[in-house]
Amino acid sequence: MLATVPGVALAEPLPFDAAIERASQDAPSIQAGAAGVEAKRSAAVAAGRLPDPTLNVGIDNFPVSGPPAFSFTAESMTMARIGVEQPFPNPAKRSAQRTRAQADIGMAEGELAVETQNVRLETALAWIDLYYAKRRLAQLDRLIESLDDLQSTVSARLASGSARPSQALEPTQLRGAVNDRRSELAAEVVRAKARLARFTGDPDADVIGDPPMPEVDRASLIAGIPLLPRLKALDAGIIGAEADTSLARADKRPDWRVSASYGRRDPAYGDMVSVGVSIDLPFFAKRRQDPKIAASLSGETQARLLRAAAEREILATLDGDLADHEMHMQRLDNARKVLVPLARRRAELDMASYAAGKLDLGSALLSSLALAEAEVDALSREADVARDAVRINYTYRPITNGEVRP
């Protein structure tokens, strides 16, 4: 019942897995690819079948000169004819046509798998980006709340005469700088929501729950590379190129046709039946069939080389992504163990010095801002690690039954 009410079924925030599942089912590009696969399957039913028979109707031996000219009865050979002809392409050609049709299905399925993988990856990254953008925004909001408390402290000091009047402006000035940063993060939230809405179909897309942190294992990723959708599509392209070569070679084998006709003459004469067989004679193969075979062989070589080049590219890209992931993990570890603790300790010491009257408020506020920036930066580094793990697993792991293989 909820599904019949527009907007109701899509109103709740989505956990990570639910967002991926919804995008896999509802993305228009995936549905278009599925329709393309179905079209290729339907076309494959007719592949390799015998051509339709041909019906022949005509008049034979109709006189146009001499005494019987333009007479249907004066000439004994004149007759109305009806016949049928059935072509029989050679078996090798029909077999190659069936192989080509299956290769077309394989390529369409490969393209669908590639598109499914891309949609799942982009949905996952959009979810990660929205999750961490909201967390960074919440971090700045907590800083703004602390500035409100600090404003009350400054106001109390002004009332007691222990602070300069200009110090009352410093929290407001810092709040203005933080608001600029907050506007940037708010824009990131909107952009990430728009990307997530694009794939899930939810106009008010939102996230709930924690992001996954998939394990990144180079050995298992390398083992699964031959099964990646992109390479499987190229494998189907090789099969298609081989089928094209078989079709070109099959042209050197003769096709043949069987025909039969019935001729009706004047009742004074007897009717006639004709039966015949026609056979193609590929006598000039060097100028006709052989060039096509050579072209198909070149296309076959090209398909294999493209597949090899794609595998090398994937391996090189994987190593680069693994290096980036390792670098981002080290940066995150440095932020958590060094940068954020130092920034927090400095902010605490500066605020204590301000409270003791040993430091001006502006310096103390700058330390608080530096702490907030360090914490936001740590969240950005954590987001980089999560994005790397998700991107690597959703790019370099095969898809089985719509799911990334563990």
Side-chain angles (χ1 to χ4, degrees):
M1 292 177 62
L2 291 177
T4 62
V5 181
V8 173
L10 302 177
E12 297 182 355
L14 292 172
F16 182 84
D17 291 336
I20 300 298
E21 183 64 23
R22 178 172 293 175
S24 299
Q25 294 177 356
D26 298 340
S29 59
I30 293 179
Q31 295 177 359
V37 171
E38 187 61 30
K40 295 298 182 182
R41 287 176 178 167
S42 297
V45 176
R49 304 283 182 176
L50 290 176
D52 292 332
T54 302
L55 178 66
N56 296 318
V57 178
I59 296 176
D60 293 339
N61 304 318
F62 183 72
V64 294
S65 64
F70 304 107
S71 172
F72 286 96
T73 58
E75 173 57 57
S76 62
M77 295 299 295
T78 300
M79 60 182 173
R81 172 182 48 79
I82 183 171
V84 64
E85 182 180 72
Q86 175 62 61
F88 288 90
N90 67 77
K93 181 179 293 185
R94 295 170 61 190
S95 176
Q97 290 172 347
R98 288 190 289 268
T99 303
R100 176 74 239 192
Q102 292 301 317
D104 289 340
I105 294 175
M107 287 188 287
E109 290 176 339
E111 292 172 359
L112 172 59
V114 170
E115 182 59 27
T116 300
Q117 186 182 49
N118 290 338
V119 168
R120 292 168 61 84
L121 172 61
E122 292 301 323
T123 304
L125 294 179
W127 196 100
I128 294 291
D129 290 343
L130 179 56
Y131 174 84
Y132 281 101
K134 292 179 66 176
R135 285 190 61 185
R136 291 194 295 268
L137 191 61
Q139 187 68 39
L140 284 186
D141 287 340
R142 285 193 291 270
L143 175 60
I144 293 175
E145 291 176 2
S146 67
L147 291 178
D148 293 337
D149 296 336
L150 185 60
Q151 185 71 58
S152 301
T153 301
V154 173
S155 298
R157 289 197 172 193
L158 286 173
S160 64
S162 60
R164 301 190 310 274
S166 63
Q167 290 182 336
L169 304 176
E170 291 178 345
T172 304
Q173 184 178 8
L174 180 58
R175 185 182 292 107
V178 174
N179 283 335
D180 286 343
R181 182 73 172 114
R182 189 184 187 284
S183 297
E184 296 176 2
L185 292 178
E188 290 183 17
V189 171
V190 173
R191 287 195 295 268
K193 277 191 173 185
R195 288 172 54 209
L196 191 59
R198 171 191 171 189
F199 296 107
T200 62
D202 187 349
D204 190 25
D206 203 355
V207 299
I208 191 173
D210 296 326
M213 192 64 70
E215 180 182 355
V216 178
D217 182 8
R218 185 180 187 277
S220 63
L221 294 173
I222 293 293
I225 280 180
L227 300 177
L228 291 179
R230 179 182 172 189
L231 294 183
K232 296 294 285 185
L234 292 173
D235 288 338
I238 293 175
I239 296 174
E242 292 173 346
D244 291 338
T245 301
S246 299
L247 277 172
R249 286 174 172 160
D251 283 340
K252 298 184 74 172
R253 300 183 181 183
D255 297 333
W256 52 287
R257 292 169 294 280
V258 175
S259 61
S261 62
Y262 174 79
R264 175 68 175 174
R265 296 198 295 173
D266 185 89
Y269 308 102
D271 295 342
M272 293 185 177
V273 174
S274 299
V275 178
V277 176
S278 301
I279 301 177
D280 295 336
L281 300 176
F283 286 159
F284 305 99
K286 289 184 178 181
R287 294 182 176 271
R288 295 178 180 175
Q289 288 82 16
D290 288 350
K292 294 181 180 180
I293 294 174
S296 298
L297 288 172
S298 297
E300 191 176 325
T301 301
Q302 180 187 26
R304 289 194 175 94
L305 291 175
L306 287 175
R307 201 274 185 194
E311 184 169 0
R312 289 187 183 184
E313 178 186 355
I314 289 173
L315 286 170
T317 306
L318 172 59
D319 286 336
D321 289 342
L322 290 174
D324 287 342
H325 182 52
E326 182 65 24
M327 178 266 293
H328 287 146
M329 291 181 65
Q330 293 175 357
R331 282 169 49 84
L332 175 60
D333 188 65
N334 186 50
R336 286 176 172 175
K337 294 181 178 179
V338 179
L339 300 180
V340 173
L342 286 178
R344 181 178 295 111
R345 182 59 179 161
R346 179 176 179 179
E348 292 172 352
L349 292 174
D350 284 350
M351 291 305 296
S353 297
Y354 166 70
K358 298 179 180 180
L359 186 70
D360 64 281
L361 179 59
S363 298
L365 290 178
L366 288 177
S367 296
S368 298
L369 179 60
L371 172 59
E373 287 291 346
E375 291 174 336
V376 170
D377 180 65
L379 286 175
S380 297
R381 297 184 184 197
E382 183 179 335
D384 290 337
V385 172
R387 282 176 59 88
D388 287 341
V390 167
R391 183 175 64 253
I392 289 172
N393 279 276
Y394 276 78
T395 301
Y396 301 104
R397 286 195 183 277
I399 296 178
T400 303
N401 296 327
E403 296 294 335
V404 174
R405 200 172 66 177

